[in-house]
Amino acid sequence: MTSNRHRDFKLDLCGIALLLPLLVVPLVTHEPFYNSLAYQAAIGVSAAMAVYVMLRMGLLSFTVPAFMAIGGYSAAMFAKAGMNELLLLMGVAFVVPALFAIPLGALVLRLKGIYFIFVTFLFNEILQLVLFETPTLTGGSDGISAVPAASLFGTSLSSPSMLVIVTVSICIVASICTLLVTQRFRAEFTSIEENETLAESLGVAIWKYRTIGFVASAGISGLAGFALVNMLSTAHPSSFASWSVNSYIAYAFVGGRGTMLGMVVGSFLLIFMTNIFSSYANLSAGLYGVLLLVVMMGAPNGLVGLFLKFSERRKAPIQPTINPIVKEGHA
């Protein structure tokens, strides 16, 4: 158990380390395609991290787009009001969704299985309706446009290169938050995932730790929403459509839902291939589906899980074959 914990911790650190090269992409190239890949990957990883926190407790939550919207819109309102300091906006984007998650968690975290999935999906749909029907607050169908880019100590970060760097930096912060939560409560989350009834009988406060994970997931989602709004300079309901959660969940399962490295690998692969497939027009959706099918059939535990499986096989000692010696004269 201890060796697995150390291994998973190292893999989580490797996942964060893989994000660091994205910081230099806009510094070494001005090619729009590569900069677009960098910020798409950063936002995708951030959202996948929010999914990952809940998966650590065996829960598949569909609330990520909704909390992304709450964080993104909250940051946009502050920025429009002239309070566009980067650290302040990051704090707002994390704290506001986390506060929303507390009463919502009290309602939904006692549900299990498909009931939990269904209710969390409905929350996305309800929030979409709220965004469209409150034009005085959210701009309605027009959203909030011309959102000022974040600044750092009075210096504007509005250049294309700086926008990408800020987006990646927010992703790294979201990943570090994920690491802190999942490592601090790893034992409790794992016991809930493996056998909730047994964990409760051993004194684990199921509802308490689910609430901690749900609130953390909401805050991390909010950071992803802020990164998206800051990059696009607009907060619009279409940016947080309910169907987008399918992509974030796919990133988690394709990469491997057991480690943060899996979130990064899955996000990088599927986002890159989505951009490649987009050049095939009407075939892009079909090609994406085939890719998911092939990966999930060939690696049910994700690409990182497949790598770990082969790695463990190579390290396993070869057991010598012992042939019994039959002595002459004995039956």
Side-chain angles (χ1 to χ4, degrees):
M1 184 67 71
T2 303
S3 61
N4 284 343
R5 181 166 188 168
H6 290 162
R7 182 201 66 186
D8 291 347
F9 181 66
K10 290 179 180 178
L11 291 174
D12 290 347
L13 291 179
C14 287
I16 296 176
L18 275 181
L19 299 173
L20 297 179
L22 296 180
L23 290 170
V24 302
V25 170
L27 302 178
V28 299
T29 178
H30 297 290
E31 210 39 63
F33 175 73
Y34 296 112
N35 287 334
S36 175
L37 279 180
Y39 87 74
Q40 286 181 58
I43 294 170
V45 169
S46 301
M49 290 298 177
V51 174
Y52 170 74
V53 173
M54 298 304 292
L55 286 175
R56 293 299 300 165
M57 296 179 289
L59 293 173
L60 186 60
S61 176
F62 279 70
T63 55
V64 172
F67 286 132
M68 285 177 67
I70 293 172
Y73 269 85
S74 298
M77 293 174 189
F78 269 73
K80 290 286 284 187
M83 296 176 284
N84 65 332
E85 183 66 26
L86 176 61
L87 299 180
L88 172 64
L89 294 179
M90 289 176 64
V92 168
F94 186 94
V95 172
V96 175
L99 292 176
F100 268 86
I102 295 174
L104 179 64
L107 296 174
V108 305
L109 288 175
R110 299 184 188 277
L111 302 174
K112 300 179 182 179
I114 59 173
Y115 300 103
F116 178 81
I117 293 173
F118 182 67
V119 171
T120 54
F121 181 80
L122 284 180
F123 178 62
N124 288 329
E125 295 298 312
I126 293 170
L127 188 66
Q128 281 285 312
L129 182 63
V130 171
L131 293 177
F132 277 107
E133 298 301 326
T134 54
T136 56
L137 180 65
T138 65
S141 59
D142 295 327
I144 302 176
S145 59
V147 177
S151 63
L152 186 63
F153 306 123
T155 302
S156 176
L157 305 174
S158 58
S159 68
S161 297
M162 290 309 302
L163 285 173
V164 176
I165 291 173
V166 168
T167 304
V168 176
S169 299
I170 295 170
C171 174
I172 293 173
V173 171
S175 300
I176 292 173
C177 291
T178 303
L179 178 68
L180 293 175
V181 172
T182 54
Q183 287 297 322
R184 170 61 182 83
F185 302 106
R186 186 182 189 276
E188 293 83 1
F189 285 4
T190 301
S191 64
I192 293 172
E193 179 187 15
E194 292 180 350
N195 193 323
E196 183 178 319
T197 304
L198 178 60
E200 190 170 17
S201 68
L202 294 174
V204 177
I206 305 296
W207 187 81
K208 170 187 172 182
Y209 292 107
R210 278 186 169 183
T211 301
I212 291 172
F214 192 62
V215 170
S217 176
I220 293 164
S221 299
L223 288 175
F226 165 51
L228 182 58
V229 168
N230 187 66
M231 191 70 209
L232 300 177
S233 299
T234 182
H236 194 273
S238 62
S239 299
F240 309 104
S242 299
W243 55 263
S244 62
V245 72
N246 297 328
S247 297
Y248 308 142
I249 292 172
Y251 301 161
F253 280 88
V254 167
R257 67 187 187 92
T259 63
M260 289 171 57
L261 178 60
M263 305 302 109
V264 177
V265 170
S267 300
F268 281 10
L269 173 65
L270 293 184
I271 288 171
F272 176 75
M273 295 308 298
T274 298
N275 281 270
I276 298 299
F277 292 154
S278 63
S279 60
Y280 293 93
N282 295 334
L283 295 177
S284 59
L287 292 172
Y288 185 81
V290 171
L291 174 64
L292 289 179
L293 184 63
V294 170
V295 173
M296 294 305 296
M297 291 183 66
N301 294 320
L303 296 175
V304 174
L306 183 65
F307 170 78
L308 291 176
K309 181 179 178 180
F310 281 116
S311 178
E312 289 172 358
R313 282 185 177 179
R314 292 186 63 181
K315 291 181 180 179
I318 301 175
Q319 298 294 335
T321 303
I322 302 176
N323 296 319
I325 300 175
V326 181
K327 296 182 179 180
E328 293 183 5
H330 291 272

